[in-house]
Amino acid sequence: MITNQEYLELTTRISKLCRMIVMSKADKLEFKLSCKIELLEEQLEAMEKYALILETRAIIEEIELMEEEL
């Protein structure tokens, strides 16, 4: 069963990773990445696909998912 906690944690992590990638490309990170940006972009893509799967399952299972609070 999908939980709102699982979905919120995932969307929060997606937002943070996306921000880190953008900041890295703008050379604004306060630290040096220990892996290539391409690997982080692949991770982001996989996480976004997983979120889409959860959203699809939620529709099928009639579960209302809460969006990330900004």
Side-chain angles (χ1 to χ4, degrees):
M1 184 167 144
I2 302 166
T3 64
N4 272 307
Q5 180 180 353
E6 175 186 13
Y7 183 72
L8 286 173
E9 286 175 4
L10 178 62
T11 56
T12 298
R13 289 179 178 153
I14 287 171
S15 294
K16 288 179 179 181
L17 180 56
C18 186
R19 179 172 167 73
M20 186 173 71
I21 290 170
V22 169
M23 295 288 285
S24 176
K25 288 182 175 184
D27 201 27
K28 300 285 184 182
L29 282 181
E30 296 179 4
F31 58 92
K32 188 176 187 287
L33 293 176
S34 57
C35 62
K36 292 186 176 186
I37 192 76
E38 292 83 10
L39 183 59
L40 296 175
E41 291 171 332
E42 285 182 44
Q43 178 182 349
L44 178 61
E45 184 178 325
M47 292 168 72
E48 289 172 334
K49 285 180 183 178
Y50 180 49
L52 182 58
I53 290 168
L54 289 181
E55 292 165 5
T56 303
R57 281 187 55 207
I59 291 168
I60 293 167
E61 298 174 16
E62 298 180 355
I63 297 170
E64 188 173 332
L65 296 176
M66 297 186 316
E67 293 292 323
E68 176 187 8
E69 294 180 22
L70 298 177

